[in-house]
Structure formats: structure tokens, C-alpha cells
Amino acid sequence: MAEHAYDFDLFVIGGGSGGVRAARLAALTGAKVAIAEEYRMGGTCVIRGCVPKKFMVYASAYGKDIRKAAGYGWSAGEVSYDHGTFANAMHAEVDRLSGIYFRNLKNAGVEILEERAEFVDAHTLRLKTSGKEITAEKILIAVGGRPWMPSPDEIPGIEHAITSNEIFHLEALPKHIVIGGGGYIAVEFAHVFAGLGVPTCLVYRGEEVLRGFDADIRTAVHEGLKEAGVRVITGAVFDRIDKCEGEDLPLRISLSNGGHIDADVVMGALGRRPNTDGLGCDAAGVALDDNGAVVVDEWSKTNVDNIWAVGDVTDRVALTPVAIREGHAFAETEFYRRPWHFDHADIPTAVFTQPEVGTVGMTEAQARKEHGAVDIYKTNFRPMKNMLNGDMSRVLMKIIVRQSDERVLGVHMVGDDAAEIIQAIGIAIKMGVTKPDFDRTCALHPSVAEELVTMRTKWVPEETG
Ligand code: NDP
């Protein structure tokens, strides 16, 4: 048998976080690796997700910081914000990062194919533009996901709405933005635009945003949106969107509750779907679930023996670091003879609201359901920094402890730097930390995080008549 009966040992479809990590690691073993990417290297996170989003969060926070600095004696005179200046800087940084991804792949010896690849069969791919067919022994599907929007049949005029893909390319700030949804993307951008001084309205079908998060976190974020000046409309969805040319606010959004709002930008943040349309998974025999996600086992292997999938396309946990770890585990297992698979338990995550959410482990509801008796420790306080700057926002911290052995099952926080704090707490949780471990840890004073190791009183629910 010839050593390279196939053109490549590994063909990776998709140059996002998971695909790039796997391709680069595999190629560093000397394996013959190709990666196909139809747009730009870096995927959702670098090009139209986490990275530019976080820059927008920073841009938005600076305005408030300038105002808040007055309480500390600073006066900045007239301040103004120029969206073009910021957007140019943001796009330049995205370009730089995408270039680094590209160069790292090249330096590792990966062949980069800048076009779309689709399956012909389980070992063959066709490049869409050139029509060239390529064979590979192993194939990794890492094509990610895309924003989901209802069809114009469901919501007439929905074509006037943009998604998070387009939000980074607005030439000027909106005069009035309406955002549909109550998940990560909706609440993050509601804060971004409110912070930039744009009248912002959030329309959510449920009662309280961030379904799936701990109930106390949801309440804090929901109330925080309103405190930030976001108009929050609950129990409603878009019914239709009409465009009236020439108006200052040309889009009229009619809601299911009978109301309407006028805006110049409407954004749908209604969830994301795996990017498998037209990929030819059926030609390769790769099974998809009802949502279009590639079905994989714990090794990220599909039902076809030589095909794997990592990242958002598998619809497991749609977070960049998860895709990277899945891609890393695949590459080490298949190309380094170091088999391991990623453990999806206790993944720390943040929502970059202002202030932000950081969370790791179980919510109170999950913990009660799975472990029965739990103790809750929680605190809600105005941080020292805000005492002089007029910011009324508070910090919420919550620790969920299994009663039987005092194991900490979850830690949740809303407050400045929650992401940074929870990242470190994530290590402790992974090590099986107990509440007595928290208790015997010396506080670092004065800090916000010290409250995590000084909470001693169990929270008791208030009597309800
Ligand atoms: P989410 O799945 O988080 O939220 C979707 C929202 O849209 C929910 O509030 C949902 O309501 C609502 N919704 C869904 N369908 C409809 C409908 N037909 N009509 C009205 N409302 C609807 O999706 P996002 O788009 O916000 O984000 C996608 C994923 O990207 C996240 O889950 C996360 O994994 C990742 N992400 C992570 C970030 C981070 O780490 N900071 C930042 C941004 C994204 P309901 O609650 O009722 O289901």
C-alpha cells in the first residue's frame, strides 16, 4: 500500500478556531494536511464574533468610564465618539489576527485552499470554484454555524433585518436599533449600543433574558439592561417589518403584542444553526440531526469511520475554546497517538454585558434536580469603585454547594471582571473544590473577588406566607 494513496492524510473543511488548531497540530507531525476556507481564515470568532464583539464592548465601555471618572476628580471637557475611527481600528486588528492564523498554518506546512469544499464521497471533496477533486484519508468537518433568521413567509419584511454578521460593518451608529432575542448576542449588543448612546430596544419572546443561566443571574442581567437604558419588551416577537423610504427611522417593526417601534437598524439574534447546507454530508454518508448538526461521539467521530467534526457544526457547546479543545483532542488522538477527548463538563463562560456575567458549573435549578440537597451562598453588593463614580450597578455572586460533601457545583457572578474571575474559579471547580477550600483561602483585600472566599451564611429562601 502506497504511503499516500490519498492526496492528503487530513483534509479540514473550515478555517475557524477548531479547524485551524487541528490542521496545524496534525501538519506539525509531518502529515500531509490541507484546509479549505471559502472566506477568511479565523472563522466566526475572529472575523465576525468574539473578537470584534469584544472590541465593541470596550468601545462602548469607554464612554461610561469617561463620565464616571468625574467622581474621581477628572474632567475631560467635551467628549465625542467617531464610529469610523473605531471601526477602522477594529477591522485592522481583525485583519492582523486573520493574517496570523493564515501564516501559522503556512508555517506548519498546511496547504491552504481558499475556496469552498463539498463532499463527493467519504474520501473525496470537490473544490467549488476550481472544480478540482481531492482525496483524503481522514476528513475533519469544522464549518461552524451561521445566524438563524425566520423566513419572509414567517415574518414579512424580515429581509430588512441584519444579523450579527453585518453588525460589525455599519458605517455609522444607528439612530435607533431594535434587537430581537434574549440570548448571548442580543444582550451583549443591547449593552454595546446603549453604551454608545444609541436608543436601544430589545424584544424578547420570554419573560427574562438568558434562558438556561442561573435564575438570579437572569434577573440581574434583565434588570441591568433596563438600568443601562435599554427598553426591554418581553412576551413579544416581530410580526412584520415595513420599510418607508425617506423616513429618518425607515423601518416600522410591528410586534405580536400589537405594538410597533420605528428604527433604522433591526438586528435578529435568534440563535445559530450548523453550517451543513450544501456540504454534501449525504454523499459521504455522514449523519445529521434534525437541526442539521453533524452527529458525533465523544471522540468527535461521525458515523463514518474516517470523518470527524468539531466546533459549532456539532451543536454541542457553541463556544470558541470548546472548538479549539475538540480540534486539539482530535489531532492528538489521530496524529500523535495520544488519545484523549474533551470533557464538556464545567466549561466556564462569560456574557459580555456591562457589567459582565461569568459562570461555571451548574445552575441552582440543575444542581437541585441532579443532586437534591444543596446549600446556596450569595451576596449582592455595590463595589468599592462605584462608591465615588455614581455607577449604581451592583455585583452578584452565587456559590452552589452539594450538601452531602460540600463540593462546589457552580459559581456564578455578574460584575466587572466576572469573566476574568470565573476563569480562575474554573480551575478550582475542575479540581473538585469544596466550600471549606473556599473558606480556608485567605481573602485578597480590597478586591471584589475576595467576597467569594468570605461568604459564610447560607442563603435561606424568604418565607412566602
Ligand atoms: P442563543 O441561542 O443564545 O439565543 C437565541 C435567542 O433567540 C433566545 O433568547 C431565544 O429565545 C430567541 N429565539 C429563538 N428562536 C426564536 C424565534 N423563533 N422567535 C423569537 N425569539 C427566538 O443564540 P445567540 O444567537 O444569542 O448566540 C448563539 C450562540 O453563540 C450562543 O448560544 C453561544 O453559544 C454563542 N455565543 C457566545 C458568546 C460568548 O461566549 N460571550 C457571545 C455570543 C454568542 P428563548 O430564550 O425563548 O429560547
Side-chain angles (χ1 to χ4, degrees):
M1 173 102 174
E3 205 178 65
H4 287 307
Y6 298 102
D7 297 330
F8 290 96
D9 300 317
L10 173 66
F11 193 102
V12 178
I13 317 173
S17 302
V20 168
R21 172 62 62 92
R24 202 169 50 78
L25 281 186
L28 289 173
T29 65
K32 217 172 161 216
V33 180
I35 189 165
E37 168 56 54
E38 61 182 324
Y39 187 51
R40 291 166 66 196
M41 233 22 112
T44 301
C45 175
V46 174
I47 309 294
R48 58 186 98 76
C50 329
V51 170
K53 183 277 309 289
K54 189 99 189 254
F55 281 123
M56 290 189 81
V57 172
Y58 287 135
S60 152
Y62 268 114
K64 283 178 276 185
D65 288 345
I66 294 168
R67 282 194 300 280
K68 288 193 282 188
Y72 281 86
W74 290 90
S75 62
E78 272 292 297
V79 296
S80 62
Y81 167 79
D82 181 65
H83 190 64
T85 303
F86 160 66
N88 286 341
M90 171 177 73
H91 292 308
E93 180 58 12
V94 167
D95 291 347
R96 191 184 72 85
L97 291 173
S98 178
I100 289 174
Y101 270 64
F102 192 94
R103 280 195 300 283
N104 284 349
L105 285 166
K106 271 258 174 274
N107 292 342
V110 177
E111 183 156 337
I112 299 173
L113 305 160
E114 292 179 86
E115 52 182 313
R116 185 177 166 82
E118 294 173 1
F119 280 106
V120 175
D121 61 42
H123 283 285
T124 314
L125 294 137
R126 183 179 299 119
L127 299 178
K128 198 69 194 299
T129 315
S130 58
K132 200 173 157 200
E133 291 200 356
I134 291 178
T135 60
E137 184 183 359
K138 296 177 181 180
I139 296 172
L140 179 67
I141 305 171
V143 294
R146 62 175 191 286
W148 174 81
M149 284 286 247
S151 71
D153 287 341
E154 292 165 280
I155 302 181
I158 192 70
E159 64 276 10
H160 301 307
I162 62 170
T163 69
S164 57
N165 284 352
E166 293 80 41
I167 200 79
F168 303 109
H169 298 281
L170 295 177
E171 283 175 10
L173 281 183
K175 296 187 186 75
H176 185 186
I177 186 167
V178 174
I179 300 173
Y184 280 80
I185 296 178
V187 298
E188 287 180 345
F189 279 101
H191 272 284
V192 163
F193 286 105
L196 289 170
V198 176
T200 302
C201 178
L202 186 96
V203 178
Y204 175 48
R205 67 179 175 182
E207 285 308 308
E208 217 163 49
V209 294
L210 290 185
R211 189 190 302 279
F213 283 74
D214 186 89
D216 285 312
I217 300 294
R218 294 180 66 181
T219 305
V221 172
H222 199 88
E223 294 308 312
L225 282 164
K226 293 191 251 176
E227 279 156 27
V230 177
R231 181 180 170 205
V232 182
I233 299 176
T234 54
V237 294
F238 299 162
D239 233 8
R240 59 179 299 124
I241 302 173
D242 294 294
K243 188 165 188 175
C244 324
E245 292 295 351
E247 299 287 326
D248 208 27
L249 300 177
L251 302 173
R252 169 152 291 199
I253 302 105
S254 304
L255 302 180
S256 57
N257 64 7
H260 68 258
I261 322 159
D262 294 331
D264 56 339
V265 177
V266 184
M267 177 170 116
L270 306 172
R272 296 175 59 86
R273 295 288 182 275
N275 247 340
T276 46
D277 286 359
L279 189 60
C281 286
D282 45 348
V286 172
L288 305 180
D289 70 11
D290 292 345
N291 227 8
V294 178
V295 180
V296 289
D297 65 12
E298 59 190 343
W299 299 96
S300 295
K301 188 179 253 194
T302 70
N303 60 314
V304 179
D305 211 38
N306 69 305
I307 303 178
W308 289 256
V310 295
D312 291 6
V313 74
T314 65
D315 206 9
R316 286 178 282 184
V317 180
L319 297 171
T320 300
V322 173
I324 291 173
R325 299 288 287 163
E326 290 168 354
H328 201 118
F330 157 77
E332 290 209 333
T333 302
E334 294 301 319
F335 291 90
Y336 289 72
R337 296 172 193 230
R338 282 206 291 266
W340 63 279
H341 52 77
F342 176 59
D343 170 12
H344 288 83
D346 298 325
I347 296 167
T349 180
V351 186
F352 292 101
T353 43
Q354 299 169 47
E356 65 203 29
V357 175
T359 169
V360 59
M362 291 184 173
T363 65
E364 181 179 340
Q366 285 167 340
R368 285 193 191 284
K369 193 165 170 221
E370 203 162 306
H371 297 281
V374 294
D375 290 329
I376 305 297
Y377 297 81
K378 58 181 169 184
T379 179
N380 182 322
F381 59 96
R382 201 162 162 223
M384 182 179 169
K385 187 176 180 186
N386 289 359
M387 292 305 176
L388 303 191
N389 67 13
D391 184 339
M392 298 307 287
S393 67
R394 301 176 70 81
V395 173
L396 169 72
M397 286 174 173
K398 182 167 178 181
I399 305 177
I400 293 148
V401 180
R402 183 164 61 197
Q403 254 180 25
S404 57
D405 56 0
E406 299 192 272
R407 173 94 178 244
V408 175
L409 300 175
V411 180
H412 308 272
M413 175 174 172
V414 182
D416 284 344
D417 303 321
E420 312 291 346
I421 293 167
I422 291 295
Q423 174 69 87
I425 296 291
I427 303 170
I429 294 262
K430 217 58 189 162
M431 293 173 74
V433 70
T434 63
K435 182 63 170 60
D437 293 327
F438 272 62
D439 295 345
R440 65 194 174 86
T441 302
C442 188
L444 190 159
H445 186 72
S447 69
V448 165
E450 69 178 310
E451 295 287 330
L452 282 170
V453 298
T454 56
M455 277 187 258
R456 293 288 184 274
T457 315
K458 288 177 196 166
W459 177 75
V460 184
E462 279 169 32
E463 292 290 336
T464 49

